[in-house]
Amino acid sequence: MKSLLLCLLGVTAGIWQRNYTVGEVMKNARQLSYDSTSVKITGYITGKLRGTTYIFEDRTAEIKVEIANRYLPAKPFNDRDEVTIRAWVRYEINQPITLQVNETVINE
């Protein structure tokens, strides 16, 4: 009973968060956007487009990501360093799917 309670508390508190791929986010963007779900993705920031817009990719696809300066890691990184982001999915009809980072980017 205690383990069930701890599991339920962990899920509701967001302790155990599913790790998505970019492909899964793009496939399920509409649902993830409406749920206001924060997705966790591990991959590479491979380029900067303009301002706070970056290209993020993993083994499945690439996507545009908005990263405010306050969420960039203190330790410098390059396109060969794997990073983990947590972000909200921004989905609008007839617009490209983008992510908006809502926690500090973790480079491992």
Side-chain angles (χ1 to χ4, degrees), residues 50-88:
R50 64 191 175 292
T52 59
T53 305
Y54 296 85
I55 296 293
F56 182 87
E57 65 181 71
D58 66 4
R59 59 183 164 65
T60 60
E62 69 179 30
I63 193 168
K64 290 181 185 177
V65 179
E66 296 284 331
I67 306 174
N69 290 333
R70 68 175 181 246
Y71 295 131
L72 290 172
K75 181 182 167 190
F77 63 94
N78 60 35
D79 62 350
R80 292 181 306 247
D81 295 333
E82 190 172 64
V83 297
T84 300
I85 62 170
R86 284 188 169 82
W88 289 303

Side-chain angles (χ1 to χ4, degrees), residues 17-26 32 37-45 56-65 81-89 97-108:
Q17 188 176 34
R18 181 170 174 238
N19 209 10
Y20 288 86
T21 64
V22 174
E24 290 173 329
V25 168
M26 294 178 84
L32 293 170
T37 304
S38 182
V39 295
K40 178 181 171 187
I41 306 175
T42 302
Y44 304 91
I45 297 176
F56 182 87
E57 65 181 71
D58 66 4
R59 59 183 164 65
T60 60
E62 69 179 30
I63 193 168
K64 290 181 185 177
V65 179
D81 295 333
E82 190 172 64
V83 297
T84 300
I85 62 170
R86 284 188 169 82
W88 289 303
V89 179
I97 300 164
T98 60
L99 299 176
Q100 182 175 359
V101 172
N102 59 8
E103 287 186 28
T104 303
V105 175
I106 302 169
N107 56 336
E108 300 163 345

